Amino acid sequence: DVKVTQSSRYLVKRTGEKVFLECVQDMDHENMFWYRQDPGLGLRLIYFSYDVKMKEKGDIPEGYSVSREKKERFSLILESASTNQTSMYLCASSLRDGGRDEQYFGPGTRLTVT
Amino acid sequence: AQSVAQPEDQVNVAEGNPLTVKCTYSVSGNPYLFWYVQYPNRGLQFLLKYITGDNLVKGSYGFEAEFNKSQTSFHLKKPSALVSDSALYFCAVRTHPSSNTGKLIFGQGTTLQVKP
């Protein structure tokens, strides 16, 4: 079974703090993704990575950065958290096979910025 | 521009009745289409996908979906709904046919409520 784990289920941070969200997958997947989920907006892609040290911006990268130093780990960084970054954050991974493979999701991190 | 639309925010159905959750898409080239389900306070779980071949795709938990190229639709169906099917359902389409990255565009989600 593919397993994608995220470091926290719930997180509360103050405005201006630097926030790290960690994601680890155990299936040797090349692709990893970070989404945020907001009611009525579905999932929006923040960043993705198709290999170690490789990253590309998604649809809403502003205010976020990422790091992928090892194949199994993909970190999302909020450089200076703001209240409009309060959201559910979902990590996912997939094989790099032309997009045929489904994405496997972690349980999510609900982040509240006060 | 490539997009996915789920026209219904919520679908209500009685247990035992058939259910349909609608999805339409707009994408250049041949689409790869996916359905995911999200139970409360959980991540998304894969249900089924259409890549090529038979237009009727069968997936997990008795769900199926029909790819209709002329109507650019990929509706999710189940012949007999269960209360435990109540959840949030997302349709997704792979972006850019020639992309190898597997990026997806998601619809806004449809809440399915099955009442006993």
Side-chain angles (χ1 to χ4, degrees):
Chain A
D1 248 9
V2 177
K3 194 167 183 181
V4 180
T5 57
Q6 296 184 228
S7 50
S8 306
R9 292 299 303 274
Y10 301 94
L11 209 53
V12 180
K13 295 292 182 180
R14 294 190 180 276
T15 301
E17 278 192 86
K18 191 168 187 177
V19 181
F20 293 88
L21 302 182
E22 302 282 332
C23 175
V24 178
Q25 51 93 6
D26 66 358
M27 283 301 292
D28 204 35
H29 283 169
E30 294 87 1
N31 296 332
M32 295 189 76
F33 307 84
W34 274 108
Y35 296 92
R36 64 176 282 176
Q37 180 183 3
D38 300 288
L41 297 178
L43 274 70
R44 292 179 292 168
L45 182 65
I46 303 171
Y47 267 98
F48 74 99
S49 169
Y50 50 90
D51 205 344
V52 175
K53 297 191 184 297
M54 305 303 289
K55 60 185 179 184
E56 283 194 24
K57 293 179 180 180
D59 300 317
I60 51 165
E62 296 78 18
Y64 303 94
S65 62
V66 291
S67 172
R68 193 164 180 203
E69 297 296 319
K70 293 184 178 181
K71 191 175 185 179
E72 67 271 19
R73 188 179 298 269
F74 192 35
S75 302
L76 179 70
I77 303 152
L78 285 67
E79 297 290 343
S80 177
S82 63
T83 55
N84 62 12
Q85 293 178 310
T86 291
S87 186
M88 170 71 89
Y89 290 87
L90 294 169
C91 175
S93 70
S94 71
L95 289 169
R96 190 169 66 211
D97 65 345
R100 293 175 179 83
D101 189 39
E102 58 269 26
Q103 293 182 14
Y104 297 83
F105 283 82
T109 296
R110 187 167 294 282
L111 173 67
T112 302
V113 183
T114 62
Chain B
Q2 300 180 95
S3 63
V4 176
Q6 294 178 242
E8 300 154 318
D9 290 337
Q10 182 156 329
V11 170
N12 297 310
V13 65
E15 188 174 33
N17 283 1
L19 70 87
T20 298
V21 182
K22 295 180 180 177
C23 172
T24 59
Y25 65 90
S26 173
V27 63
S28 55
N30 294 320
Y32 292 173
L33 295 155
F34 301 80
W35 275 102
Y36 290 84
V37 60
Q38 186 179 36
Y39 298 102
N41 299 313
R42 304 279 294 275
L44 273 68
Q45 295 179 33
F46 168 74
L47 275 180
L48 50 79
K49 64 183 176 183
Y50 172 82
I51 304 299
T52 188
D54 194 349
N55 290 344
L56 185 64
V57 179
K58 294 188 183 296
S60 305
Y61 312 122
F63 284 93
E64 59 189 27
E66 186 167 11
F67 170 63
N68 188 318
K69 190 171 184 177
S70 62
Q71 297 186 4
T72 62
S73 67
F74 190 55
H75 301 332
L76 182 70
K77 300 182 180 184
K78 188 173 183 181
S80 178
L82 299 172
V83 172
S84 57
D85 292 330
S86 299
L88 182 58
Y89 290 80
F90 289 97
C91 181
V93 64
R94 189 201 60 168
T95 61
H96 201 284
S98 64
S99 169
N100 198 35
T101 61
K103 287 171 58 180
L104 295 175
I105 295 176
F106 284 83
Q108 71 271 32
T110 298
T111 298
L112 174 65
Q113 189 75 35
V114 182
K115 300 191 176 178

